[in-house]
Each structure stands twice: as structure tokens, then as C-alpha cells.
Amino acid sequence: MTLDIKLTIVGGGIGGLTLAIMLEAAKIDYLILERSSCLRTMGSTIALNACALRLLEQLGLWEEIRKIAKPIGAFHLQNEDLSPIGSIDFTFGEKHYGYHAYVMSRPELFALLRSRVPQSKVLLQKQVVDVVEDDRGVLCKCSDGTEYWSDMVVGADGAYSQVREMMYRQLRLQNQLPPTDNLPLRFSHHCILGVSNTLDPTFLPVLREKFSQFKITLFRERRCSLWMSPVEGDKISWCFGGEIDQDSRNAVDLQKDQWAPSNTQQLLEGIRDIPTIYGCKVGDIINTTPKGNVSSVLLEEKFFETWHSKRIVLLGDGQGAVQAMLDSLCLANLLHDLQGTSTSDFERMFRTYHQQRSGPARTAVIGSRLFGYFMVSKRFLARWMRSIALNLMPHWMTRTITDMVMRNRPQLSFLPVIEDRGIIKAWC
């Protein structure tokens, strides 16, 4: 039987909302404190694979997801003149794992998650400025003078987590923070993203195809790439991103870099005349994109060693939506089985959480770095790797590698189990 406890979730993003839905199912009390005046998400689209989709089906969201998403067919890499580099096929996903990988509008997924969380459980314009712990619980103090008491606090407030900063400040005073966690976040990539208005499938028949084919343009002289893919609703999603110079990865030096956010319009002007496989130019797609659908995002790559302290724990920690969902699942399972409410009980649970989730999080960071290198590096080794992976590697080898990753399709222990429909059975 679940203990009578209450959680405070700081941050109403995808990770925080997903955890809230799980806590609703587990009948665990909680409250979300969101600093913004409304719940919203940054970015244009999001891709979810079988690792997350089996969980979302268990939460009763699968049919709604299918209405707003398209299955991903393949990644097709090409040069600026549309000459092919190679392709990676993903159409075997449903047969192997029970689900294709799907791409969807990030705001639509966010709205779906938001609809499953009672409005009374979300407080807006609540910026947490201090967190005070003792042996009885945790007190969150907000900038408007309000205070919220709970048994534990979950920091789900993204890469620049204020909860992490407050927790680290206390650990730093106690000389318990690892040196690597003292280092600042450094920007690695800048991406400009958008989703077009509804387009006419008469002129773009690709919009009505079952699979979304990702067209990825690599540039011969620049360390950047352009991604375009059809999404549900007869729209085109696009993303233009590049690697920030090694010497410009802090906030001050970044302003001098060509990929500084202040150069967004100039960067877009530089790709407008590039042809697309759709029979138009990139600028034509950009012109159909409402300004409100364009986001400029700085990406960071850092693995934090410290995830918890006493009654405070971090969620997702900037490693992406899928990792945040799987972190939420792990934490919800542990909370459901929690045997006591003392500080030592929470510390014991958090250590288990870290043991189970830190490995996948570290792998995600390393994988992101390697994928970025694979995609945009101009060095001979990267070009050689692309040539081998896209043209010479047998399909069975690609599928074997993917099979190993996709075996991790966990579920919540306190909800009915979803049948494993794939021929590659899940580990859990």
C-alpha cells in the first residue's frame, strides 16, 4: 500500500507533467510549482521511440498520441545540391518492438499531457527562490512570499534548474560537491526550429504519405545541418543547427560566435535559397512558418554526477524528454514501494534511483556527442564513418544495434502490464 506522502514538483515541463500523471495513477499527492504565467513548451517537434511509447500506452495515452503523430520511415542524408549521401531505415520498429518511432508536434504532446493533470494541482507564477530541508520535510519558498511544505521536492525545471543550483549551493558549503559538478554548463549547439502552417498536399503529396521521411542536408564547408520532415496536420517541421566554436561555449564569448542567438535571422537568410526535395526552396518553407512557431534553442551537453540530497531529487536533468519520462517512471515505481518517510528512507530511495538511471543518462550524453560528431564533423574520420554506416553497413547490423537499445521498454509496476508485441522482447 502506498504511503501517505506529498511531493512538490518544481517545473511544469514534459518531465514534470509525465511524473504528475504517474503520481495520479499511484494515488500519491503532489503539487506542481511553475514559474511562468502559463504552461508552455519550447521547440517544434519531438520524436518518441518504443522506450517511451510503451509507457505512454500504459498511461492510456497511446490512441491520442497516434492522432497527433506520424511514424518515422527513415533518415535520408543528402548534400546541399540534393545528391544522396545515404539512408538509415526505421520501418522495422513496429515489428521488432511493437511500435514505430513517431514524430509529433511538441506543443500538441505537451497539451495532451497537460490535459491529464488536474488544474488544481498546477500553480503558475511560482518561482522557487529557496528550498529549506529538515528531518520532517522540505519547504519551498517562492518569490511572491508563499511557501509550500511537502515530504520531498522533485526538481523538474530543466537544464538550468534552480532546484539544482540551490541544492548544489548547500553541498558546496559542506564540501560535498564533486569538482565536475562545479563547472558551468557550456553551450555545444544552437538550433533554430519551426513548424509550417498547414500546406496543400496537392502540391506536396509527401504530406499524405504514411511515414515521415526525414531529409537531412549536410553542408560541405560548414559544421551544420538542416532537418526537414512532414508531421501530422499537413505541415513541415524544420530545424537548422550548427556546432558552436569550442572557444565560444560560455555565455560571454558566445555573443561573438556566428551561432549567437542574435544572429538567428542572418543564419536563416543564409539557407533560404537551398533547394529541397519537395520542389521548393528552404525559404519557401520558412515563409509559411508563423513567427510564434519558430524557436531559437541553445543546447548543452553535460552529465551531472550529483542527482539528490536528503529530500531533494532531480528529474531528467536536461537529458531530453524521453530520458525525463523514464526517470519519472523509475521514481514513481520507487515511491509506490517506499517503506518509510524518514530522511534516511528518501536518501535510500534516491540512491537506488541514481543507480538505475545515471547509466542511461550518461550514455545519452555520450551518444548525443557522437551523433553530433557523426552528422556535422568535416574530419576524415567522420566522413569515413558516415560512408561506412550509410552505405556499407549491412541492414542486419543496423537493426542489431537498434535492438540492443530498444530492449529497455520499462513499465510502471502498479498499473496493468501492456503486452509486449514486438519480436524483440523487452528486458523489463
Side-chain angles (χ1 to χ4, degrees), residues 152-416:
M152 61 171 274
V153 167
V154 180
D157 48 345
Y160 293 93
S161 170
Q162 291 300 304
V163 174
R164 188 201 310 119
E165 287 303 310
M166 289 181 278
M167 184 178 79
Y168 278 17
R169 184 168 60 242
Q170 292 300 317
L171 292 173
R172 199 176 290 117
L173 291 173
Q174 301 164 18
N175 200 29
Q176 294 181 3
L177 193 66
T180 54
D181 286 345
N182 263 316
L183 298 175
L185 278 170
R186 293 176 66 83
F187 306 118
S188 59
H189 292 79
H190 177 205
C191 295
I192 309 166
L193 318 97
V195 179
S196 73
N197 277 325
T198 299
L199 304 174
D200 188 350
T202 304
F203 298 101
L204 291 174
V206 68
L207 295 171
R208 291 295 171 87
E209 293 180 2
K210 175 184 176 180
F211 289 99
S212 178
Q213 307 293 343
F214 278 60
K215 305 297 182 179
I216 307 169
T217 301
L218 303 185
F219 295 78
R220 286 192 171 95
E221 304 300 329
R222 292 185 283 174
R223 292 181 300 173
C224 55
S225 60
L226 171 66
W227 297 56
M228 307 192 86
S229 62
V231 294
E232 194 63 34
D234 295 335
K235 301 175 182 180
I236 297 290
S237 167
W238 54 271
C239 172
F240 178 52
E243 187 178 9
I244 295 171
D245 189 81
Q246 291 282 345
D247 297 326
S248 305
R249 294 193 171 189
N250 59 59
V252 176
D253 293 334
L254 177 61
Q255 301 308 315
K256 307 171 188 176
D257 193 90
Q258 63 170 331
W259 283 98
S262 57
N263 293 335
T264 294
Q265 289 304 317
Q266 182 180 344
L267 289 166
L268 291 181
E269 288 298 325
I271 62 171
R272 282 184 172 275
D273 291 331
I274 294 175
T276 73
I277 202 72
Y278 309 124
C280 60
K281 294 184 177 180
V282 172
D284 298 322
I285 303 295
I286 294 175
N287 290 341
T288 67
T289 305
K291 289 185 177 179
N293 287 0
V294 178
S295 302
S296 179
V297 181
L298 289 169
L299 304 179
E300 314 85 3
E301 291 179 353
K302 180 177 179 179
F303 177 78
F304 290 96
E305 299 286 348
T306 309
W307 289 27
H308 59 88
S309 174
K310 295 182 181 178
R311 291 174 177 262
I312 302 173
V313 67
L314 302 176
L315 179 72
D317 214 23
Q319 306 304 332
V322 171
Q323 292 301 317
M325 289 179 178
L326 297 180
D327 284 355
S328 298
L329 180 150
C330 179
L331 198 56
N333 280 339
L334 292 170
L335 283 166
H336 183 265
D337 296 333
L338 188 64
Q339 298 299 309
T341 60
S342 68
T343 298
S344 60
D345 289 319
F346 284 105
E347 288 179 324
R348 190 178 306 111
M349 179 184 69
F350 294 159
R351 285 195 294 270
T352 302
Y353 167 68
H354 184 264
Q355 289 169 1
Q356 293 182 9
R357 292 299 306 154
S358 60
R362 190 189 298 273
T363 300
V365 171
I366 295 172
S368 176
R369 289 174 184 164
L370 291 176
F371 186 72
Y373 176 81
F374 174 83
M375 293 298 296
V376 303
S377 176
K378 304 305 171 190
R379 295 182 178 179
F380 172 80
L381 178 60
R383 293 175 182 269
W384 179 80
M385 289 171 58
R386 283 197 292 268
S387 176
I388 294 294
L390 298 174
N391 299 299
L392 299 179
M393 183 180 292
H395 290 307
W396 66 264
M397 187 176 294
T398 304
R399 295 183 182 187
T400 299
I401 295 172
T402 309
D403 289 347
M404 293 175 61
V405 175
M406 292 299 152
R407 280 186 180 274
N408 182 34
R409 306 192 292 276
Q411 299 192 74
L412 292 163
S413 60
F414 49 86
L415 290 181

Side-chain angles (χ1 to χ4, degrees), residues 77-93:
L77 280 72
Q78 59 193 23
N79 294 304
E80 295 165 82
D81 59 3
L82 303 185
S83 59
I85 298 174
S87 299
I88 305 175
D89 175 67
F90 296 111
T91 55
F92 59 90

Side-chain angles (χ1 to χ4, degrees), residues 91-103:
T91 55
F92 59 90
E94 186 174 57
K95 178 180 178 182
H96 280 225
Y97 324 120
Y99 307 86
H100 291 296
Y102 280 81
V103 62

Side-chain angles (χ1 to χ4, degrees), residues 42 51 54 60 64 84 128 157 411 425:
M42 295 290 291
C51 300
R54 192 181 185 203
E64 295 300 318
V128 177
D157 48 345
Q411 299 192 74
K425 299 305 178 184

